[in-house]
Amino acid sequence: VQLQASGGGLVQAGESLRLSCAASGSIFSISNMRWYRQAQGKQRDLVAGINFSGTINYADFVKGRFTISRDNAKNTVYLQMNTLRPEDTAVYYCAASLRAVCFPGLTYSSWGQGTQVTVSS
């Protein structure tokens, strides 16, 4: 199973970006999907998460600006980022808690490769 993140880029403060992360492979089920970010020299922080039924949680620092959503049929999670700030500059990673077809009794976390978001002032 692989997660492929995309949609990062360079924008100016106040602009928007939409990140996507698609899971592919022999997937039995995906429970929750999450976005994290890691700024240079800092720890990786949870940005937002969404479970299969649509329950969502956000980090305080993105509430009101970012929106997470998912398309269960496509095994894809999105992160709509509005009103971006320079402090949002980071590598954004997606992660999913999932079960693979080959071993459906085991839930594990899979990570995407990260996509760079840079916000200039």
Side-chain angles (χ1 to χ4, degrees), residues 1 9 16 18 27-28 30 37 41 54-55 60 67 71 84 95 97-98 102-103 107 114 117:
V1 176
S16 300
R18 189 190 192 211
I27 299 168
F28 181 78
I30 300 177
R37 72 184 189 187
T55 301
D60 287 343
T67 302
D71 184 332
L84 283 161
S97 297
L98 56 88
C102 60
F103 203 168
T107 300
V117 172

Side-chain angles (χ1 to χ4, degrees), residues 21-104:
C21 176
S24 62
S26 299
I27 299 168
F28 181 78
S29 66
I30 300 177
S31 53
N32 65 72
M33 303 186 82
R34 309 174 298 280
W35 287 99
Y36 294 79
R37 72 184 189 187
Q38 187 168 20
Q40 192 170 6
K42 297 188 176 181
Q43 67 181 21
R44 188 172 298 187
D45 293 323
L46 177 65
V47 175
I50 182 169
N51 68 11
F52 185 84
S53 61
T55 301
I56 291 171
N57 63 285
Y58 293 104
D60 287 343
F61 52 78
V62 301
K63 282 182 179 177
R65 300 188 299 124
F66 292 9
T67 302
I68 189 171
S69 61
R70 66 187 280 178
D71 184 332
N72 291 330
K74 296 181 179 179
N75 291 327
T76 299
V77 63
Y78 306 96
L79 187 67
Q80 177 67 43
M81 305 185 295
N82 297 329
T83 320
L84 283 161
R85 304 167 179 168
E87 54 264 39
D88 294 319
T89 295
V91 178
Y92 284 70
Y93 298 91
C94 59
S97 297
L98 56 88
R99 292 186 287 172
V101 170
C102 60
F103 203 168

Side-chain angles (χ1 to χ4, degrees), residues 3-7 20-21 44 91-94 111-116:
L3 269 64
Q4 181 70 42
S6 61
S20 299
C21 176
R44 188 172 298 187
V91 178
Y92 284 70
Y93 298 91
C94 59
W111 288 80
Q113 83 286 6
T115 184
Q116 176 70 46

